[in-house]
Amino acid sequence: AAGDESIIDQPAEAIPPATAPVPDEGPARFDGYAGMRFGMTEDEARSALDGGLEAPAGDPDDACHYLVPVGAAPRDLAFMFDGGRFVRYDVGNDEATAPGGGRRGMSAERIQALYAGRVEARPHANVDGQYLRIRDTRSDGVLVFETDAEGKVTEWRAGLAPQVDYVEGCS
């Protein structure tokens, strides 16, 4: 009867739990990349990334340096190590998707919509553009999109502060 709280609305037969697909997060994550997690030693990171890592240039013994996947161009994907630990990765290709769905070529407005209420915009240091900075809600990771004067994402990176905010790589 209407208003009788003792009647429970239940289906006549068992219904299986929801099976909605979980979106594939992909290799780019707020807490690392593929099997590598921020804070790993260089040896741990090398073991965690299928295909291996190599030094693109410079002295890999420097306190801060980059390694890239074997055969990759440093401008497309590079991993920063500082003090012997994995702390950041930089992405400059059109294929990679950032955690949360951002990509190179997107507009600043689209980034603002994807990460609604979480974007901190700062002026770019070198061009008439912006840094769009997003903190993760579940880790210490930070995502930074760089935009040009037209408001288009030109590259992005993820990592730990303060390294994720370094404008010129290790400096």
Side-chain angles (χ1 to χ4, degrees), residues 33-36 41-56 66-74 77-79 81 86:
Y33 188 90
M36 300 185 325
T41 66
E42 192 171 312
D43 287 341
E44 290 169 335
R46 285 178 185 275
S47 295
L49 188 68
D50 292 336
L53 296 168
E54 62 187 3
Y66 279 92
L67 296 177
V68 298
V70 172
L77 179 61
F79 303 103
F81 291 82
F86 173 45

Side-chain angles (χ1 to χ4, degrees), residues 13-28:
E13 63 220 28
I15 296 180
T19 56
V22 174
D24 182 10
E25 196 169 79

Side-chain angles (χ1 to χ4, degrees), residues 14 20 47-48 53 63 76 82 117 120 123 137 142 147-148 159 167:
S47 295
L53 296 168
D76 289 339
D82 192 9
E120 176 189 345
T137 57
V142 177
T147 68
D148 60 16
V167 174

Side-chain angles (χ1 to χ4, degrees), residues 12-141:
E13 63 220 28
I15 296 180
T19 56
V22 174
D24 182 10
E25 196 169 79
R29 302 168 47 102
F30 271 104
D31 64 350
Y33 188 90
M36 300 185 325
R37 296 294 170 262
F38 296 131
M40 281 185 165
T41 66
E42 192 171 312
D43 287 341
E44 290 169 335
R46 285 178 185 275
S47 295
L49 188 68
D50 292 336
L53 296 168
E54 62 187 3
D59 184 358
D61 293 328
D62 289 345
C64 183
H65 62 276
Y66 279 92
L67 296 177
V68 298
V70 172
R75 70 180 176 279
D76 289 339
L77 179 61
F79 303 103
M80 179 190 284
F81 291 82
D82 192 9
R85 301 283 175 176
F86 173 45
V87 294
R88 166 178 155 171
Y89 61 94
D90 297 39
V91 179
N93 67 67
D94 294 336
E95 293 79 36
T97 301
R103 297 174 71 101
R104 216 172 91 135
M106 283 186 170
S107 68
E109 292 79 18
R110 180 72 178 123
I111 297 297
Q112 292 278 1
L114 277 174
Y115 304 91
R118 297 173 50 206
V119 179
E120 176 189 345
R122 300 176 176 177
H124 197 289
N126 300 320
V127 298
D128 186 21
Q130 292 183 314
Y131 299 110
L132 304 176
R133 191 176 194 275
I134 299 107
R135 289 179 194 238
D136 187 23
T137 57
R138 296 172 295 182
S139 75
D140 291 333

